[in-house]
Amino acid sequence: MVCGLTSCLGSGAAGGLFSSAVQFFAATQCLVGETWPKDSVLQNGSRYDFIIVGAGTAGSALAARLSEVANFSVLLLEAGGDPPIEAIIPAFRETLKASSVDWNFTSVENNITSQALKRGIEQQPRGKMLGGTGSLNHMVYARGFPSDYHEWASIAGETWNWTNVLKYFMKTEHMTDTNIVNNPELMVYHGRGGAIEVSGTNEVMFSIKKFLQAFEELGFKTVPDMTYPNSIGAGCFSHTIRNGERDSSLRALLNNANSTSLHILKDAFVTKIIIENGTAIGIEAVKDDEKFLFYADREVILSAGTFNTPKLLMLSGVGPSEHLRSLGIDVVADLPVGSNLHDHVMVLAFLVADNGTCVSDEAENSMEAIKYLYDRTGFLAKADNMAAYLPLSSSEPTVPEFALYPTCIPQFSPFRSGCLTLGLNEDLCTELHNLNQEYELVTIAAVLLKPKSRGKVELNSINPFDDPLIYAGTFSEEQDLDHFPRLIKMAWSIADTNYFRSKNARVIKPWVEACSNLTESAWIKCMSRAMVTSAWHSVGTAAMGTVVDGDLKVLGINGLRVVDASVMPKIIRGNTNAPVVMIAEIAADLIKEHYSVSRTGTNLNNMTIGNLTASSMPNISQPNINLADVIENNDMINSSLIEVEITNVELITTTDRLSDIDDTVNVA
């Protein structure tokens, strides 16, 4: 290719310059990548303090945090391998779904809902690689709202109240979105200096500007921060993107963990938790067709996700006794594992419009590629997701119950492949594809954020390599469906706003045979039932309060915790990735606190220094705490008399010089 260009331009200065430029950009594609953690060399039967199953969003964060304690040995197992380059470049996020790095889960057809989807099933993409779904999601930074965590606290204790979880959101966050950073009122709720960057963009796409204008006409307030707990409206999300590349708990935490006591094993499929006498003591796994046994001296921690965590629990005898016995599995603990499955409920509305809102062509795409390779800017470096939040009623104006997510699809786009990936059937995809040959398409995802309906996850068989059975349970509560006529009509009303009227926008009502000859509201309910799908935020299958306690310990089993989205007792009002990181951060501190003992077995929670209790000491759960450092940084202590009380042992040291104190507390 370079030789052809040189001969075309000649061998003079211009030819040499352009030839060098082509070579430069060809070489820079090799710089888009990451050095992922290497496989550890492990002995079959080896022992660790903690074994974490799943290196997804939660597992990556948890393993990194536990490895901060020098005396903790941690084994992290991941069923997948390294993420591909597409997992790094934000604009390629859609290409990973239905690929080899996706578990490709689907729901079980129920012959009632989703009948306009292919085979009547809902797609459930989940990442099967380091970083898990955090390596293929849309990188949207959302937290939910205070009322979500008030619900959690009422079920699982005050650890999970809004005030406490906010501290952990802020701990991990490095907010750089200038729309938020430059607003002191908003920054009260955000962190700076955390591991994961949360960024924005000052170059909002033209289509997004027009959607925001449309929502303003419809009465929505434009808000600069979609996570702000005191006001809702329409706006752009911040995203976990750093320097034009995906940021995540994998890249920001696990990849930067610097500990010889952290061991990682990729392409290792965990098949069972070993439970003896009511205690989890290890796991069985398969790698390269070889069976491995690894043992945990302290805990086994499941971070395998909403579908694989209940599957693994049930294969190990922890779950509904009737279901387990039907498969010949000995019951270790009779718990409602797999129940309480729920998700945000999504139905798509469609408009068509004349060209000019979401223009794209091959020449533009090529220039965007050059921009990205040059300095990680341009379209490929962004994720311009936006939404409009709606409350259920005026009595709770700051609590969203619904959301609308618009997307602009250029004419002649490769829409058909994405349509099939989403799960719509051939006829619908063909109808929409044909329209896209003449018009731009606007899709509006109408989403119910707090559904009442519940489904379940069950075992398909006792073969650990079989996918679990996912019974979505969508619209099992009729009142969930009742909301959609209002919601879909709101989505359609975008076509009646000034700009979109100028583009001759009109509503498209896809042909659904079962919904013919109905009134409009009845048609919307019928269409919604036929086209409903998951928003890919499933939670709840090992919920706090029923399967795990407020410390995330599995009820009735020692040495076993769950740390992932399955512990959420109720879904939050927003994307679930950031809340899963928060759960992992809290879990890490709960675990550190639980094992904060000296080498002699003395519990540091009973320590007092002067007026200072252990709970108010800085870094009390960290190893090698120097008492002089603690005292020097606390004004409550009289430096001439330091009294340390540890359980029933009293040590009194009198000195006038802090530098004389060299006692060190070691955490086992």
Side-chain angles (χ1 to χ4, degrees):
M1 181 178 73
V2 173
C3 292
L5 179 63
T6 303
S7 60
C8 175
L9 294 172
S11 57
L17 174 63
F18 287 112
S19 176
S20 296
V22 170
Q23 290 176 324
F24 167 77
F25 284 111
T28 54
Q29 66 182 314
C30 301
L31 301 178
V32 182
E34 181 89 357
T35 302
W36 304 112
K38 297 187 181 302
D39 254 350
S40 300
V41 179
L42 306 177
Q43 293 295 318
N44 203 339
S46 52
R47 309 187 72 89
Y48 306 89
D49 288 317
F50 300 94
I51 295 176
I52 302 173
V53 179
T57 295
S60 292
L62 182 60
R65 292 305 192 196
L66 292 184
S67 73
E68 294 170 350
V69 180
N71 295 319
F72 285 173
S73 62
V74 180
L75 172 61
L76 175 64
L77 300 111
E78 168 55 40
D82 293 336
I85 189 173
E86 289 82 3
I88 295 173
I89 304 172
F92 283 101
R93 56 195 177 273
E94 293 293 349
T95 66
L96 299 177
K97 297 179 179 69
S99 72
S100 62
V101 293
D102 182 356
W103 283 94
N104 291 301
F105 292 129
T106 60
S107 66
V108 175
E109 182 180 9
N110 61 13
N111 296 308
I112 301 171
T113 59
S114 306
Q115 295 304 292
L117 304 186
K118 191 174 182 179
R119 305 197 312 276
I121 59 178
E122 299 179 19
Q123 304 295 317
Q124 285 284 1
R126 292 297 185 277
K128 187 180 182 182
M129 55 185 145
L130 288 177
T133 307
S135 290
L136 60 69
N137 66 5
H138 284 205
M139 297 157 285
V140 169
Y141 187 77
R143 296 169 167 175
F145 288 79
S147 57
D148 296 321
Y149 300 103
H150 297 332
E151 288 181 328
W152 289 20
S154 69
I155 294 168
E158 293 306 312
T159 297
W160 304 100
N161 68 34
W162 166 247
T163 302
N164 194 54
V165 302
L166 179 61
K167 298 175 190 174
Y168 285 91
F169 280 121
M170 295 172 68
K171 173 184 177 179
T172 317
E173 179 185 29
H174 178 51
M175 172 56 72
T176 62
D177 187 336
T178 55
N179 294 312
I180 297 172
V181 170
N182 295 329
N183 187 326
E185 181 182 354
L186 301 179
M187 278 304 293
V188 169
Y189 298 94
H190 292 283
R192 294 275 285 176
I196 299 176
E197 181 160 347
V198 180
S199 61
T201 177
N202 293 321
E203 300 175 2
V204 178
M205 291 173 60
F206 180 77
S207 60
I208 298 294
K209 291 179 182 178
K210 295 306 173 186
F211 285 134
L212 288 173
Q213 289 176 11
F215 281 119
E216 279 190 354
E217 285 186 50
L218 295 173
F220 290 81
K221 177 169 64 175
T222 298
V223 296
D225 182 1
M226 292 294 283
T227 69
Y228 186 54
N230 299 326
S231 178
I232 64 172
C236 296
F237 288 103
S238 304
H239 294 83
T240 52
I241 296 175
R242 183 189 297 269
N243 298 327
E245 298 182 348
R246 177 188 295 271
D247 209 6
S248 64
S249 59
L250 166 63
R251 300 194 75 195
L253 288 168
L254 187 65
N255 244 20
N256 291 310
N258 185 19
S259 173
T260 57
S261 62
L262 173 60
H263 309 274
I264 298 172
L265 199 61
K266 295 176 281 190
D267 299 304
F269 194 102
V270 176
T271 58
K272 188 177 182 180
I273 310 158
I274 305 170
I275 301 174
E276 292 185 358
N277 300 319
T279 299
I281 64 168
I283 57 93
E284 296 178 3
V286 174
K287 179 177 171 65
D288 298 329
D289 297 324
E290 181 180 355
K291 180 179 177 180
F292 287 82
L293 301 178
F294 297 113
Y295 296 97
D297 290 331
R298 300 197 183 195
E299 293 187 17
V300 173
I301 303 168
L302 300 186
S303 296
T306 296
F307 302 127
N308 276 328
T309 283
K311 170 187 159 185
L312 193 51
L313 284 168
M314 288 186 282
L315 285 170
S316 308
V318 180
S321 58
E322 184 177 352
H323 177 53
L324 299 186
R325 289 190 181 108
S326 72
L327 293 169
I329 298 173
D330 292 336
V331 178
V332 177
D334 182 9
L335 296 173
V337 171
S339 66
N340 191 46
L341 172 67
H342 57 297
D343 196 345
H344 298 139
V345 179
M346 182 171 74
V347 176
L348 295 180
F350 299 95
L351 311 177
V352 294
D354 294 342
N355 285 342
T357 308
C358 42
V359 176
S360 178
D361 58 41
E362 287 303 316
E364 184 178 325
N365 289 341
S366 298
M367 285 303 300
E368 291 295 338
I370 291 172
K371 273 191 210 175
Y372 189 81
L373 290 173
Y374 180 63
D375 62 2
R376 299 296 187 273
T377 62
F379 174 76
L380 295 179
K382 298 177 185 176
D384 270 347
N385 300 81
M386 68 150 296
Y389 284 146
L390 295 80
L392 180 62
S393 67
S394 58
S395 63
E396 293 184 296
T398 63
V399 180
E401 204 74 15
F402 316 101
L404 298 173
Y405 301 86
T407 303
C408 199
I409 301 170
Q411 186 183 15
F412 303 122
S413 73
F415 173 76
R416 185 179 182 80
S417 60
C419 180
L420 294 171
T421 300
L422 185 64
L424 299 184
N425 66 29
E426 286 277 356
D427 291 343
L428 277 173
C429 289
T430 299
E431 178 184 352
L432 294 168
H433 170 79
N434 291 340
L435 286 166
N436 190 223
Q437 303 310 295
E438 299 181 55
Y439 305 99
E440 292 181 341
L441 285 177
V442 174
T443 65
I444 306 107
V447 178
L448 173 63
L449 298 175
K450 293 294 283 189
K452 306 291 186 186
S453 299
R454 294 294 185 267
K456 62 181 177 180
V457 173
E458 291 188 339
L459 293 175
N460 194 358
S461 73
I462 61 172
N463 183 346
F465 295 98
D466 284 347
D467 287 343
L469 298 174
I470 300 169
Y471 298 93
T474 312
F475 293 147
S476 57
E477 294 288 341
E478 189 74 16
Q479 59 185 302
D480 288 346
L481 182 60
D482 291 341
H483 296 298
F484 276 86
R486 172 197 172 196
L487 201 53
I488 295 297
K489 289 176 184 177
M490 178 66 74
W492 286 347
S493 64
I494 290 174
D496 294 326
T497 57
N498 288 332
Y499 173 79
F500 285 97
R501 270 201 309 270
S502 76
K503 290 295 180 182
N504 298 309
R506 59 186 174 88
V507 171
I508 295 298
K509 296 182 178 180
W511 170 251
V512 179
E513 184 176 359
C515 304
S516 57
N517 302 318
L518 296 175
T519 63
E520 185 171 77
S521 291
W523 182 88
I524 292 174
K525 290 180 74 170
C526 179
M527 178 275 298
S528 297
R529 193 190 300 274
M531 293 184 62
V532 69
T533 189
S534 161
W536 307 335
H537 301 146
S538 295
V539 305
T541 52
M544 286 188 279
T546 57
V547 176
V548 301
D549 64 16
D551 289 341
L552 309 182
K553 298 176 182 177
V554 175
L555 300 173
I557 304 292
N558 297 319
L560 183 60
R561 288 190 210 235
V562 176
V563 181
D564 58 30
S566 69
V567 304
M568 295 186 189
K570 294 188 177 182
I571 198 166
I572 54 96
R573 294 169 168 88
N575 301 57
T576 52
N577 185 261
V580 168
V581 176
M582 174 272 292
I583 289 169
E585 291 279 20
I586 289 180
D589 276 2
L590 290 171
I591 292 166
K592 289 176 181 179
E593 180 182 354
H594 183 75
Y595 293 102
S596 289
V597 293
S598 72
R599 296 185 190 278
T600 59
T602 303
N603 193 324
L604 294 182
N605 291 325
N606 294 326
M607 176 186 285
T608 60
I609 302 179
N611 297 323
L612 187 64
T613 64
S615 62
S616 60
M617 289 183 195
N619 301 319
I620 197 65
S621 64
Q622 300 301 312
N624 300 319
I625 301 166
N626 191 287
L627 298 185
D629 292 337
V630 173
I631 295 161
E632 186 175 22
N633 292 304
N634 199 288
D635 295 334
M636 292 189 296
I637 301 173
N638 184 334
S639 62
S640 64
L641 179 62
I642 299 123
E643 178 176 313
V644 182
E645 295 179 4
I646 306 180
T647 313
N648 296 320
V649 180
E650 182 173 281
L651 167 66
I652 300 179
T653 304
T654 304
T655 180
D656 290 320
R657 297 179 62 232
L658 292 174
S659 58
D660 290 342
I661 303 173
D662 60 3
D663 300 271
T664 299
V665 178
N666 290 303
V667 179

